[in-house]
C-alpha cells in the first residue's frame, strides 16, 4: 500500500467563488420579473384528522394571489395522489401524518404577506394519538397512519446464509445486545426547500438545490402531468445536502400555482422549517452473536426495526443497506438479518450520509467490543481474528435492489488488520489523564462498503468552444464535495488541457444527460467515467479534424499542455476551432463505455473500508466526554484532488462526532422537542479533537477514472462506534445508544439513577 | 372579496445612514428590518448568507465596526452611523485578503454556504488578536457552524493567515 502524499495541486475551481461570497446559491439569484412569494401551511400536530379548511381570511388579505389546498387541487389540474404510492401526496388530504405535513401553499406579492396569510388559513384538526418508534408502530393496537393500509408495516427485508441454528449450536459464548440509533437531522447550512419556479410557455422551470435533478424533474413532471422533457430543473451551488436536499412538495405546488397565475414564484424555507422536511431513519438493532471456543464468530442473528417516518421516501435503500452491512466486514459463517420497516408520525426519513450503514456500523462494532471483552480478548485482536482477509469472499452477492446474483463475489482487497494497527499507532504512546476524576480509553472501529452502482447510466458531454476551451455539461449537483472540480480534473487530464481551459456547467435537466444522483459515494466513479469517456470521444474528434485540416495521421497528433502537437509543431485549439466554422465538435460519454455492466457486482465490484481509532477522556464525576485523539484511515484507489478527499473524510468524521455525542431529534408528548438550531446541538470547531489525523492510501485499483474510488461515506460510520468503544474501554461499561451523553455514561456507571 | 390588511400593520420606517464596505448608504428602512435583509435585498450583497435566523449558526456574520455580528438578528437601524464590512468588502480575486488566500490554500470550505460567515468571524478574530492560539481560535470560531465539517482546515487557514500577516 502506498500512503498518499499531499502534492502540489491547483485549488478547487470553486475556490474564489466560495471565499468571496460570489458563488451563487438559489436564494442569491436575482428576482424574476413579477415574482410572487410562497409560504406553506403546515400541520402543527404529529397526527391529526383534517376537517374543514377555510382559506377565506387568507384570500381576503391584500396582496394574496392564491391558496392551493386539498379542496381546490382540480383548479390547478392536479390530483391528490399524484405522487407514487406511499410517497407523500402533494398535499394533505384528510389526515396530517407528521408535524410539518403540508396542508396548503399560499402565494402573495411579498414574503411577509404570504407568511401572514398562511397563518390565516383556518384548519380544523382533530388530534390523534401519534406513534414515534417503529417497534411501537408495529404493535397491535398502535395508531395507524395510512388508514387504507390497515397496518404501519411497510415491508420486510432479510438476508441470510449458512444455518443460523446450527451456528449457535457451535457457540460456546453468546452475547445479546440491543443497539439504538435515533432520528437525526442532516442540517445542511442552506435551508432545505428554498427554490424558484416559473412556467415559461409550457415549460416548467425550477431552480433548486437537489442532489437528484433528473429524478426530481421526472417526479415533478408526473405531479404536473407534463412530459418529462418539459421540466427544466437547474441547480445552482448547493449549500450542503447529506441526503436532505431535494425538490420539495412546496416547490411542486408552487409550480402548479405558477402555471395558473402565469407568474414566477419564490419559495423561501427557514432553517427551522428545514427540520421538518427530511431526517435520518432511526434504527433498532437487536442482535444475538455466538463465538466458538477459539473466539471465532460462528453465528450472528439480527432483528432490525427501521423507522421510516410518515412517508416512504427512502426506506428501501436505507433498509437494504442496513441489511447488507449488518455483518460488518466479518467472517460470519451463519448469518441472518430480518428487517421490519414501519411508518411513524415523524418527519419522513430520507437517505442520510452513509444511508442505513451508519446505524448498523455503530451496532455491529459496539457488539464486537462487547463480545471481545466477554471472552477476555483485546478488541483489536478479536477483529484481526474475525475480519475478512485479503482474498476471502463474501458468501452471497446481491444487486442494489436486493436480488441475489449467482457466482462469487469479488475477493476482499482490504487489509483491515494492518489498517487497524496503523490507526492505533497513529494515536501515539498512551499517557495517563491529567486529573484524577478522568479515565482514559481507546477504541477502534471498522466498516466496509462496496460500490452500489446507480440505477441508471451516467452521462456527460464535452464541447470544443471557438476560443479553444472545452465545456463539460452534466446533471450532477455539487453539494460541496468538489464534484465540479473532479469533472475539471478528469476532463483536463484526459484531454491534455489545462484546467483553466475547462468550463464546467451547472446541472440542467434540459440537457437530458442522465445521472442517478450525487449519492452513495458514486459520483467520482460513475460521473468521472462519463467525463473521461466524453473527453476521450471529443479528443478523437479534435484529432480527426486536425488530420483533415493539417494532414498527418491520427497517431501522430497529440494534445498536451493545452495545445495540439504534430511532432514539434504546436497548434492552438482555438485556431483549429476557428478554421472550421460551422463544425461543432461535441461528444457525449457514458460510464458504460468504461465499465459495460448493468449490475454493481462481478468484475467491477470493489471494496472501500472505513477504519478509525479514537482516544477519549471520560470524567467519572460528570460523565463529560472529550475526544482527544482521532485517526481516520481510508483507501481512495487514486486521489484526484487531495484536499477534496481529505475534506470529505474529515467532514464525515466531524458529522460523526455529532452523531456520536450530541445529535438526536427527541419526540415526546406528541411533539418533536428540539427542532431548531438553538436546541439541536451540532458539532462545533471546539469539538474537533486536538489530534485529528487523516491517513489515505492509494491502491490504484478503483473502477473510476485513473483508478479512483468513492470515499465520501467511509469516515462517518466509524465515529460513533470508535468513540463508544473508547468510552467502554475507559469506564468499563457499555452505552448502547447514540448520542452518548454524559447522562447515559453516568447511568451506565450506576452513579445516576432516577429519584424513587 | 374585499381586500383586508388583517394582522399586518403598516411598518414604521426610520432614516438610516451607514457605511458598507467603505461606501456611505442612506435611506429609509422599516424599523423591524434586519441588517441581513438590508444587505441582501436592498444592497444586493448576497455573499452574506441566511441560515438559522436565530443567531446560532454564524452564516450571516458581518463586521459592525470591526466586531463579528449576526446580521440576521441585528436590526438595520442599529447600524446607524456605523461601518459594516461584508465578504464583498474584503479582497479581489487578483488581490485577495490574506484570510481569503489562506482559506483557498487550506480549502477551508466545501459547500461554501457558511464560508462568508467563517471568513468574517476569522477576520474579526485577527483584528482583535493577531496571533491567536489553537484554543483561542476554536473558542472564537465555535459560533460559526460548518456542517461540511471543515473545522480543521479553517483553523489551519486562520493560523496560517495570522502567521503570514504578522510576518507582513
Amino acid at each position: 500500500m502506498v500512503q498518499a502524499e499531499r502534492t502540489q495541486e491547483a485549488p478547487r475551481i470553486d475556490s474564489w467563488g466560495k471565499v468571496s461570497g460570489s458563488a451563487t446559491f438559489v436564494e442569491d439569484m436575482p428576482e424574476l420579473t413579477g415574482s410572487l412569494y410562497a409560504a406553506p401551511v403546515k400541520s402543527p400536530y404529529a397526527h391529526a384528522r383534517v376537517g374543514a379548511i377555510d382559506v377565506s381570511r387568507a384570500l381576503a388579505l391584500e396582496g394574496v394571489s392564491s391558496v392551493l389546498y386539498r379542496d381546490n387541487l382540480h383548479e390547478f389540474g392536479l390530483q391528490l395522489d399524484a405522487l407514487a404510492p406511499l410517497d407523500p401526496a402533494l398535499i394533505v388530504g384528510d389526515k396530517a401524518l407528521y408535524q410539518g405535513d403540508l396542508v396548503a401553499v399560499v402565494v402573495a406579492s411579498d414574503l411577509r404577506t404570504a407568511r401572514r396569510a398562511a397563518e390565516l388559513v383556518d384548519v380544523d384538526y382533530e388530534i390523534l394519538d401519534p406513534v414515534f418508534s417503529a417497534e411501537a408502530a408495529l404493535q397491535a393496537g398502535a395508531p395507524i397512519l395510512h388508514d387504507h393500509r390497515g397496518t404501519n408495516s411497510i415491508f420486510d427485508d432479510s438476508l441470510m446464509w449458512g444455518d443460523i441454528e446450527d451456528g449457535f449450536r457451535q457457540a460456546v459464548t453468546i452475547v445479546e445486545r440491543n443497539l439504538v440509533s435515533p432520528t437525526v437531522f442532516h442540517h445542511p447550512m442552506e435551508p432545505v426547500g428554498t427554490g424558484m419556479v416559473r412556467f415559461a410557455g409550457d415549460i416548467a422551470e425550477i431552480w433548486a438545490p437537489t442532489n437528484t435533478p433528473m429524478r426530481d424533474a421526472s417526479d415533478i413532471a408526473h405531479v404536473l402531468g407534463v412530459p418529462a422533457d418539459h421540466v427544466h430543473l437547474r441547480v445552482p451551488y448547493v449549500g450542503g445536502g447529506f441526503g436532505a436536499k431535494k425538490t420539495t412538495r412546496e416547490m411542486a405546488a408552487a409550480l402548479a400555482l405558477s402555471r395558473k397565475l402565469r407568474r414566477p414564484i419564490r419559495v423561501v424555507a427557514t432553517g427551522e422549517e428545514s427540520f421538518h422536511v427530511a431526517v435520518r431513519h432511526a434504527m433498532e438493532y437487536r442482535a444475538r452473536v455466538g463465538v466458538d471456543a477459539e473466539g471465532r464468530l460462528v453465528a450472528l442473528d439480527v432483528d432490525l426495526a427501521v423507522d421510516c417516518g410518515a412517508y416512504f421516501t427512502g426506506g428501501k435503500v436505507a433498509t437494504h443497506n442496513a441489511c447488507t452491512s449488518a455483518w460488518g466486514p466479518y467472517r460470519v459463517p451463519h448469518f441472518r438479518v430480518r428487517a421490519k420497516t414501519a411508518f411513524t408520525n415523524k418527519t419522513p426519513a430520507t437517505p442520510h450520509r452513509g444511508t442505513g450503514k451508519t446505524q448498523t456500523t455503530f451496532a455491529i462494532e459496539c457488539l464486537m467490543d462487547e463480545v471481545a471483552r466477554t471472552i477476555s480478548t483485546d478488541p483489536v485482536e478479536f477483529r484481526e481474528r474475525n475480519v475478512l482477509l485479503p482474498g476471502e469472499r463474501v458468501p452471497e452477492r446481491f444487486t442494489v435492489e436486493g436480488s441475489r446474483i449467482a457466482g462469487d463475489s469479488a475477493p476482499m482487497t482490504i487489509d483491515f488488520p494492518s489498517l487497524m494497527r496503523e490507526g492505533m499507532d497513529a494515536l501515539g504512546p498512551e499517557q495517563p489523564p491529567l486529573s484524577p476524576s478522568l479515565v482514559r480509553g481507546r477504541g477502534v472501529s471498522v466498516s466496509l462498503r462496496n460500490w452500489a452502482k446507480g440505477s441508471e447510466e451516467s452521462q456527460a458531454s464535452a464541447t470544443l468552444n471557438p476560443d479553444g476551451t472545452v465545456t463539460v455539461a452534466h446533471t450532477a449537483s455539487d453539494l460541496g464535495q468538489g464534484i465540479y472540480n473532479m469533472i475539471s480534473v478528469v476532463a483536463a487530464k484526459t484531454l491534455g488541457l489545462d484546467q483553466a481551459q475547462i468550463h464546467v456547467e451547472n446541472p440542467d435537466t434540459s440537457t437530458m444527460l442522465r445521472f442517478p444522483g450525487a449519492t452513495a459515494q458514486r459520483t467520482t466513479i460513475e460521473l468521472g467515467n462519463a467525463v473521461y469517456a466524453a473527453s476521450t470521444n471529443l479528443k478523437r474528434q479534435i484529432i480527426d479534424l486536425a488530420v483533415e485540416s493539417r494532414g498527418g495521421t491520427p497517431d501522430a497528433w497529440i494534445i498536451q499542455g493545452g495545445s495540439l502537437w504534430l511532432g514539434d509543431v504546436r497548434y492552438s485549439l482555438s485556431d483549429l476551432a476557428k478554421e472550421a466554422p460551422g463544425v461543432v465538435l461535441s461528444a457525449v460519454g457514458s460510464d458504460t463505455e468504461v465499465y459495460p455492466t448493468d449490475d454493481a457486482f462481478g468484475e467491477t465490484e470493489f471494496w472501500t473500508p472505513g477504519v478509525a481509532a479514537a482516544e477519549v477522556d471520560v470524567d467519572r464525576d460528570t460523565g463529560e466526554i472529550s475526544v482527544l485523539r482521532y485517526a481516520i484511515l481510508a483507501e481512495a484507489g487514486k486521489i484526484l484532488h487531495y484536499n477534496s478527499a481529505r475534506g470529505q473524510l474529515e467532514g464525515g468524521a466531524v458529522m460523526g462526532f455529532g452523531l456520536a455525542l450530541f445529535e438526536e431529534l427527541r419526540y415526546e408528548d406528541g411533539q418533536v422537542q428540539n427542532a431548531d438550531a438553538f436546541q439541536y446541538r451540532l458539532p462545533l470547531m471546539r469539538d474537533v479533537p486536538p489530534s485529528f489525523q487523516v491517513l489515505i492510501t492509494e491502491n490504484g485499483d478503483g473502477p473510476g477514472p485513473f483508478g479512483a474510488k468513492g470515499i465520501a461515506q467511509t469516515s462517518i460510520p466509524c465515529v460513533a462506534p470508535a468513540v463508544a468503544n473508547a468510552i467502554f474501554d475507559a469506564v468499563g461499561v457499555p452505552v448502547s445508544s447514540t448520542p452518548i451523553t454524559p447522562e447515559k455514561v453516568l447511568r451506565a456507571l450506576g452513579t445516576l439513577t432516577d429519584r424513587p | 372579496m374585499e381586500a383586508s390588511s388583517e394582522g399586518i400593520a403598516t411598518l414604521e420606517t426610520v432614516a438610516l445612514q451607514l457605511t458598507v464596505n467603505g461606501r456611505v448608504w442612506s435611506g429609509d428602512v422599516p424599523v423591524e428590518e434586519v441588517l441581513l435583509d438590508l444587505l441582501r435585498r436592498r444592497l444586493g450583497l448576497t455573499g452574506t448568507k441566511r441560515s438559522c435566523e436565530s443567531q446560532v449558526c454564524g452564516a450571516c456574520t458581518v463586521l459592525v465596526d470591526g466586531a463579528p455580528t449576526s446580521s440576521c438578528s441585528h436590526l438595520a437601524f442599529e447600524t446607524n452611523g456605523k461601518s459594516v464590512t461584508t465578504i464583498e468588502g474584503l479582497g479581489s480575486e487578483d488581490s485577495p485578503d490574506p484570510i481569503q488566500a489562506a482559506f483557498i490554500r487550506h480549502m477551508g470550505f466545501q459547500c461554501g454556504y457558511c464560508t462568508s460567515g467563517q471568513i468574517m468571524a476569522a477576520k474579526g478574530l485577527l483584528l482583535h488578536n493577531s496571533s491567536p492560539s489553537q484554543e483561542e481560535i476554536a473558542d472564537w470560531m465555535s459560533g460559526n457552524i460548518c456542517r461540511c465539517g471543515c473545522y480543521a482546515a479553517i483553523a489551519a487557514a486562520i493560523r496560517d493567515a495570522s502567521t503570514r500577516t504578522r510576518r507582513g
Side-chain angles (χ1 to χ4, degrees):
Chain A
M1 262 184 290
V2 183
Q3 179 71 44
E5 281 183 24
R6 183 170 182 167
T7 51
Q8 286 294 320
E9 63 184 4
R12 252 168 66 164
I13 59 170
D14 51 351
S15 293
W16 179 248
K18 288 182 175 174
V19 304
S20 65
S22 59
T24 302
F25 297 85
V26 71
E27 202 173 328
D28 306 333
M29 294 179 65
E31 201 72 60
L32 295 169
T33 309
S35 192
L36 301 173
Y37 282 80
V41 177
K42 296 189 161 198
S43 170
Y45 305 110
H47 197 188
R49 202 162 291 287
V50 178
I53 301 175
D54 181 357
V55 299
S56 58
R57 285 169 72 208
L59 282 172
L61 190 66
E62 190 172 355
V64 172
S65 305
S66 188
V67 183
L68 179 151
Y69 68 117
R70 178 192 66 195
D71 299 338
N72 69 355
L73 286 179
H74 57 280
E75 294 172 24
F76 297 91
L78 297 174
Q79 290 173 348
L80 193 57
D81 58 354
L83 278 178
L86 302 184
D87 275 339
L90 179 63
I91 214 143
V92 161
D94 59 358
K95 266 179 89 177
L97 299 181
Y98 74 96
Q99 190 183 340
D101 213 348
L102 186 65
V103 176
V105 175
V106 181
V107 174
S109 53
D110 63 277
L111 187 58
R112 188 164 168 263
T113 305
R115 286 183 175 160
R116 177 62 189 139
E119 291 169 358
L120 295 173
V121 172
D122 292 318
V123 184
D124 283 343
Y125 293 104
E126 178 200 336
I127 301 171
L128 303 172
D129 286 336
V131 60
F132 290 141
S133 81
E135 301 236 313
L138 293 172
Q139 275 167 19
I144 300 294
L145 275 81
H146 299 271
D147 294 339
H148 65 282
R149 294 173 59 82
T151 171
N152 293 320
S153 167
I154 309 172
F155 78 110
D156 295 341
D157 200 352
S158 68
L159 176 58
M160 58 195 76
W161 55 72
D163 179 334
I164 197 73
E165 300 310 327
D166 188 41
F168 279 109
R169 277 192 290 274
Q170 297 167 35
V172 296
T173 306
I174 292 175
V175 173
E176 292 189 39
R177 281 290 295 278
N178 184 18
L179 293 134
V180 179
S181 297
T183 300
V184 298
F185 174 47
H186 316 63
H187 205 292
M189 299 310 293
E190 178 191 36
V192 181
T194 291
M196 201 160 78
V197 304
R198 171 172 74 181
F199 250 89
D202 60 353
I203 299 295
E205 294 182 293
I206 316 170
W207 293 264
T210 168
N211 65 353
T212 50
M214 290 303 278
R215 194 193 305 162
D216 289 14
S218 146
D219 286 351
I220 294 280
H222 181 71
V223 172
L224 296 174
V226 302
D229 62 356
H230 284 208
V231 177
H232 294 180
L233 170 53
R234 283 144 197 156
V235 185
Y237 275 114
V238 182
F242 320 107
K245 286 281 171 69
K246 56 188 175 180
T247 309
T248 56
R249 303 155 89 187
E250 285 86 337
M251 290 183 218
L255 264 171
L257 283 149
S258 175
R259 176 163 65 181
K260 183 151 184 255
L261 301 168
R262 308 310 297 179
R263 298 274 290 273
I265 296 175
R266 249 192 147 121
V267 186
V268 183
T270 65
E272 202 168 327
E273 282 167 352
S274 304
F275 279 85
H276 304 283
V277 181
V279 297
R280 179 183 79 165
H281 297 82
M283 288 193 194
E284 195 158 345
Y285 178 107
R286 285 177 189 277
R288 197 165 159 248
V289 59
V291 288
D292 67 13
E294 282 78 48
R296 292 176 199 284
L297 291 167
V298 286
L300 173 64
D301 191 12
V302 179
D303 283 302
L304 268 178
V306 181
D307 174 352
C308 293
Y311 300 103
F312 193 56
T313 46
K316 195 130 195 177
V317 63
T319 307
H320 182 63
N321 280 359
C323 288
T324 56
S325 60
W327 48 276
Y330 297 102
R331 188 186 310 110
V332 186
H334 304 283
F335 170 70
R336 178 170 72 181
V337 56
R338 291 173 296 185
K340 291 187 180 304
T341 58
F343 289 118
T344 65
N345 294 105
K346 289 154 96 171
T347 303
T350 63
H352 178 284
R353 197 170 195 174
T355 304
K357 302 191 182 217
T358 302
Q359 299 93 321
T360 47
T361 302
F362 167 68
I364 181 85
E365 285 303 282
C366 288
L367 189 62
M368 291 300 105
D369 263 43
E370 177 122 8
V371 174
R373 287 173 194 280
T374 304
I375 60 168
S376 305
T377 302
D378 174 77
V380 175
E381 274 175 47
F382 180 78
R383 284 182 175 79
E384 286 172 342
R385 198 178 298 161
N386 286 289
V387 76
L388 287 170
L389 298 173
E392 287 190 86
R393 293 171 191 269
V394 179
E396 294 282 356
R397 302 196 306 142
F398 297 84
T399 64
V400 180
E401 285 75 30
S403 46
R404 271 193 169 79
I405 310 174
D408 290 337
S409 69
M412 176 56 55
T413 53
I414 306 302
D415 183 1
F416 277 105
S418 76
L419 287 173
M420 277 189 291
R421 277 193 298 272
E422 276 179 53
M424 292 305 272
D425 289 349
L427 299 182
E430 290 194 53
Q431 284 170 348
L434 297 172
S435 139
S437 71
L438 298 177
V439 280
R440 187 163 290 182
R442 288 183 170 188
V444 70
S445 73
V446 297
S447 73
L448 180 66
R449 64 177 297 163
N450 55 6
W451 173 26
K453 172 82 178 73
S455 53
E456 63 172 328
E457 69 178 306
S458 295
Q459 299 174 327
S461 73
T463 304
L464 180 67
N465 300 313
D467 64 358
T469 61
V470 168
T471 296
V472 181
H474 61 95
T475 57
S477 314
D478 195 333
L479 292 98
Q481 310 96 317
I483 289 174
Y484 302 166
N485 191 65
M486 180 278 290
I487 293 170
S488 167
V489 167
V490 171
K493 201 166 171 177
T494 310
L495 280 158
L497 303 181
D498 297 332
Q499 269 186 271
Q501 291 169 283
I502 309 291
H503 300 299
V504 180
E505 296 268 43
N506 284 358
D508 180 345
T509 65
S510 70
T511 62
M512 297 304 281
L513 292 165
R514 297 168 75 174
F515 183 63
T519 60
Q521 63 176 30
R522 65 165 65 103
T523 310
T524 295
I525 299 167
E526 295 173 32
L527 187 76
N529 280 341
V531 172
Y532 176 82
S535 302
T536 304
N537 296 343
L538 178 66
K539 188 175 175 178
R540 202 173 300 129
Q541 290 185 18
I542 291 170
I543 287 176
D544 286 349
L545 183 62
V547 168
E548 208 175 288
S549 67
R550 301 279 155 84
T553 61
D555 293 348
W557 286 92
I558 58 165
I559 310 178
Q560 200 175 46
S563 301
L564 274 157
W565 297 84
L566 180 61
D568 292 341
V569 187
R570 177 181 166 275
Y571 299 91
S572 81
L573 266 77
S574 58
D575 287 348
L576 185 77
K578 276 178 210 140
E579 281 169 24
V583 177
V584 177
L585 300 191
S586 184
V588 172
S590 164
D591 65 331
T592 57
E593 296 170 53
V594 184
Y595 272 99
T597 176
D598 58 2
D599 77 58
F601 301 90
E603 286 173 19
T604 62
E605 185 171 20
F606 77 96
W607 303 101
T608 48
V611 177
E615 180 180 85
V616 302
D617 268 356
V618 182
D619 188 317
R620 290 184 64 94
D621 295 338
T622 64
E624 193 186 346
I625 299 152
S626 310
V627 183
L628 305 172
R629 293 170 180 275
Y630 194 86
I632 303 161
L633 292 95
E635 157 49 37
K638 167 76 185 168
I639 292 174
L640 300 178
H641 190 257
Y642 176 82
N643 267 329
S644 300
R646 177 191 54 75
Q648 281 292 293
L649 293 166
E650 285 182 359
V654 168
M655 203 168 198
F657 292 129
L659 301 179
L661 300 171
F662 315 124
E663 294 183 44
E664 176 178 18
L665 275 174
R666 286 180 287 104
Y667 287 79
E668 287 157 25
D669 302 328
Q671 295 267 309
V672 57
Q673 300 293 313
N674 58 336
D676 61 67
F678 267 118
Q679 301 181 82
Y680 188 84
R681 168 75 155 89
L682 292 160
L684 309 173
M685 188 183 280
R686 69 163 77 98
D687 300 316
V688 175
S691 165
F692 188 39
Q693 298 179 68
V694 177
L695 304 166
I696 312 173
T697 60
E698 293 182 279
N699 287 347
D701 61 349
F706 313 109
K709 294 178 187 176
I711 52 162
Q713 300 179 352
T714 60
S715 66
I716 189 171
C718 293
V719 184
V723 169
N725 290 339
I727 293 169
F728 190 2
D729 184 45
V731 302
V733 287
V735 173
S736 54
S737 66
T738 58
I740 306 169
T741 59
E743 181 188 337
K744 286 181 191 172
V745 170
L746 294 180
R747 285 186 190 281
L749 284 167
T751 54
L752 181 70
T753 49
D754 289 320
R755 267 177 266 170
Chain B
M1 209 175 331
E2 203 164 307
S4 76
S5 59
E6 185 167 19
I8 292 209
T10 309
L11 293 180
E12 235 182 277
T13 59
V14 61
L16 171 65
Q17 180 170 318
L18 75 161
T19 305
V20 179
N21 299 333
R23 288 191 188 170
V24 175
W25 183 88
S26 59
D28 293 335
V29 297
V31 287
E32 67 163 29
E33 182 161 312
V34 292
L35 180 58
L36 176 68
D37 287 343
L38 173 78
L39 295 171
R40 288 184 57 88
R41 296 192 191 158
R42 287 181 202 273
L43 279 68
L45 297 172
T46 55
T48 305
K49 303 302 178 199
R50 181 184 69 88
S51 183
C52 76
E53 296 181 88
S54 52
Q55 211 178 344
V56 174
C57 77
C60 66
T61 305
V62 298
L63 299 182
V64 177
D65 286 347
T69 301
S70 293
S71 62
C72 73
S73 304
H74 197 81
L75 291 166
F77 78 77
E78 292 182 274
T79 59
N80 192 35
K82 294 186 178 174
S83 173
V84 173
T85 309
T86 71
I87 189 74
E88 290 89 349
L90 297 190
S92 63
E93 189 162 10
D94 294 333
S95 173
D97 186 277
I99 190 75
Q100 288 173 309
F103 266 65
I104 293 175
R105 272 196 302 280
H106 294 269
M107 211 192 91
F109 63 87
Q110 288 190 62
C111 83
Y113 202 80
C114 74
T115 310
S116 300
Q118 301 280 358
I119 288 176
M120 296 318 291
K123 184 83 189 162
L125 168 61
L126 295 182
L127 286 173
H128 167 87
N129 175 356
S130 63
S131 58
S133 67
Q134 187 162 329
E135 290 72 23
E136 286 169 328
I137 292 171
D139 199 39
W140 182 281
M141 296 302 294
S142 283
N144 288 74
I145 295 171
C146 171
R147 189 54 153 167
C148 298
C150 304
Y151 295 129
I154 293 169
I158 295 171
R159 279 196 302 276
D160 187 3
S162 117
T163 311
R164 287 178 193 238
T165 308
R166 274 181 289 126
R167 252 192 269 134

